[in-house]
Amino acid sequence: MPGTLYLIPNTLGPTEAAPHALSHVLPEQVQDIASKLDYFVAENAKTARAFLKLVAIDHPLARPLQEIRIAELNVNTPPQALAALLAPLLEGQDAGLVSEAGVPAVADPGADLVRLAHQHDVPVRPLVGPSSLLLAVMASGLNGQSFAFNGYLPTDAAQRTKRIQQLEQRARSEKQTQLLIETPYRNGAMLEALVASCQPHTLICVATDLSLATETVRTQTAAKWKAQLAAGKAPDFHKKPTVFLFLAQ
């Protein structure tokens, strides 16, 4: 019998090193399962160990970190390496797939391992945890009945403007909320591009540091964002994980 691939949610940012603080964003069941596993696949072994160390604080099921194997799966992992990552599961060992932040396999290279697990009849069990995308949709006040995640937009200014206008037209015709993310140090440029490219009445939401003590969520028209930026009142989101959403009126 193959083992089970558990999809282990991570926090969305630094969490106080105390069990009660972690439980605010990760259910006890997730911590229990993560504590008993000794094989993980993660984007970065070092940060995964830091997460597991946080989970293990005072947990009765926690294994010593030196007994845990962490294999890396990231954008640099060649497709032919996936078979070796799955091999322990085919031999009957349970494993945990961990993202750098939030839920694994969503905007995350772990999706490739999940697909391979299904191809080999390995049970896949997703666990409950914070998703910045869903939290942003919930808090935005925009259409939660129909929405699309578009990942990163082109860095070239002309191509980015064209893409934003295409997505705005889609938002208008389908009444569909559009979601995107940006490298945190380019958040300012992303908001400026949205304000410059969208129609004045298009609603734009900026959701930063979701689930953290510094969380902020603000939805207003492109015209209001433009006036705010012109007054030098940009959101406090430089180098902070942020989700951008917009919906044409």
Side-chain angles (χ1 to χ4, degrees):
M1 290 287 292
T4 296
L5 179 60
Y6 292 95
L7 308 187
I8 309 287
N10 201 337
T11 63
L12 294 177
T15 301
E16 182 185 346
H20 71 275
L22 189 63
S23 65
H24 289 168
V25 289
L26 289 182
E28 185 176 335
Q29 179 200 34
V30 174
Q31 298 177 56
D32 289 344
I33 291 174
S35 294
K36 71 180 183 180
L37 297 174
D38 55 15
Y39 174 50
F40 289 85
V41 178
E43 288 185 74
N44 181 286
K46 182 178 179 180
T47 55
R49 286 192 184 279
F51 167 68
L52 293 175
K53 183 178 180 180
L54 181 64
V55 169
I57 292 176
D58 294 334
H59 198 290
L61 301 177
R63 293 176 178 269
L65 285 178
Q66 60 268 26
E67 295 181 6
I68 296 175
R69 177 192 169 196
I70 301 178
E72 292 192 346
L73 171 58
N74 49 51
V75 294
N76 298 315
T77 303
Q80 58 269 27
L82 289 173
L85 298 178
L86 190 69
L89 287 122
L90 297 178
E91 295 170 359
Q93 184 176 9
D94 292 338
L97 176 65
V98 184
S99 177
E100 282 290 273
V103 295
V106 177
D108 174 75
D112 293 335
L113 183 63
V114 175
R115 185 184 309 114
L116 188 63
H118 284 298
Q119 292 173 3
H120 287 82
D121 296 323
V122 172
V124 176
R125 186 175 173 189
L127 301 180
V128 174
S131 164
S132 61
L133 303 179
L134 287 180
L135 290 172
V137 172
M138 290 164 59
S140 69
L142 305 184
N143 190 2
Q145 192 84 337
S146 177
F147 53 91
F149 174 56
N150 301 284
Y152 294 91
L153 299 191
T155 55
D156 176 79
Q159 294 180 7
R160 182 175 56 206
T161 296
K162 181 179 179 180
R163 181 61 175 152
I164 290 172
Q165 291 173 344
Q166 290 173 339
L167 293 175
E168 186 184 32
Q169 178 56 40
R170 181 179 180 185
R172 180 177 295 106
S173 62
E174 300 182 24
K175 302 186 186 305
Q176 183 182 73
T177 301
Q178 303 299 315
L179 288 77
L180 54 96
I181 54 177
E182 181 54 278
T183 305
Y185 70 85
R186 289 204 292 258
N187 283 337
M190 186 71 255
L191 181 56
E192 289 174 1
L194 285 170
V195 168
S197 305
C198 290
Q199 294 297 311
H201 294 296
T202 291
L203 290 170
I204 299 174
C205 176
V206 177
T208 299
D209 277 352
L210 291 162
S211 81
L212 305 181
T214 51
E215 173 185 283
T216 61
V217 182
R218 179 66 177 169
T219 298
Q220 55 190 17
T221 65
K224 287 186 177 180
W225 278 118
K226 184 176 182 179
Q228 185 173 326
L229 294 178
K233 298 179 180 179
D236 179 18
F237 62 179
H238 184 56
K239 293 187 177 180
K240 295 181 179 181
T242 297
V243 180
F244 297 89
L245 310 86
F246 61 97
L247 180 64
Q249 297 295 288

